[in-house]
Amino acid sequence: MKYLIILLTFFAFPALAQQTSVWKDLSKVTYEIGEDEFGELYLPVFDEKVKGMEGKEVTADGYIIPFEGMFKPEHIILSSLPLAECFFCGSGGPETVMEVMLQEPIKYTSKKVQVKGTLVLNAKDPEKLMYILTDAELIAP
């Protein structure tokens, strides 16, 4: 019995420590060139694992991107990267940000936050980000 407990501890705790962020899975996206009435655009092609996450509850941590004059406390843009490295600042790709539609308004913070919501994939609407969390809630400020 003692050895069983040791074995379970040996295998269980490393598995917990190796849990990866949702951002790692969301980075598994490629692009194809499509067209709309304005010309060519890049359309995301989601990995099968990412497709399997659609409609499911996911948790993501990251940084709120404060668009001047556009911060809406119930509709935020979350970046997996700190502000100086985020997609809109030129460093990360579009797979490093997501729109988050919150159930309750939140206050802006420059600190890392954690949200939980239902993942929606967007491959068609160029006015929206490709990852959207709906019915989201703030878990950790």
Side-chain angles (χ1 to χ4, degrees):
M1 183 68 171
K2 185 166 111 178
Y3 295 112
L4 179 61
I5 292 172
I6 291 170
L7 281 174
L8 287 174
T9 303
F10 179 74
F11 288 108
F13 288 119
L16 290 174
Q18 292 175 359
Q19 287 180 346
T20 58
S21 169
V22 70
W23 293 108
K24 184 171 181 168
D25 290 332
L26 297 180
S27 71
K28 297 175 181 161
V29 61
T30 58
Y31 302 91
E32 63 184 18
I33 297 176
E35 281 191 38
D36 67 5
E37 63 270 16
F38 303 109
E40 285 187 350
L41 64 137
Y42 287 93
L43 300 171
V45 178
F46 302 108
D47 178 89
E48 289 303 315
K49 186 171 185 176
V50 174
K51 286 181 185 176
M53 295 168 62
E54 184 168 28
K56 298 203 167 82
E57 187 174 86
V58 299
T59 301
D61 56 350
Y63 303 88
I64 298 171
I65 304 302
F67 291 105
E68 189 173 327
M70 295 177 61
F71 174 75
K72 295 179 183 172
E74 68 285 338
H75 179 189
I76 63 171
I77 304 297
L78 189 72
S79 172
S80 65
L81 302 169
L83 185 58
E85 300 173 29
C86 84
F87 169 62
F88 298 102
C89 299
S91 190
E95 70 281 354
T96 64
V97 291
M98 68 173 57
E99 286 184 63
V100 180
M101 311 299 197
L102 292 152
Q103 295 173 5
E104 300 287 329
I106 63 169
K107 292 184 179 184
Y108 173 76
T109 179
S110 60
K111 296 179 180 172
K112 194 176 223 182
V113 298
Q114 189 174 60
V115 294
K116 175 173 66 172
T118 304
L119 181 65
V120 175
L121 303 178
N122 172 36
K124 304 282 184 210
D125 185 354
E127 299 293 318
K128 296 260 184 201
L129 295 178
M130 70 175 126
Y131 298 123
I132 303 167
L133 276 189
T134 61
D135 298 319
E137 62 182 295
L138 181 67
I139 296 173

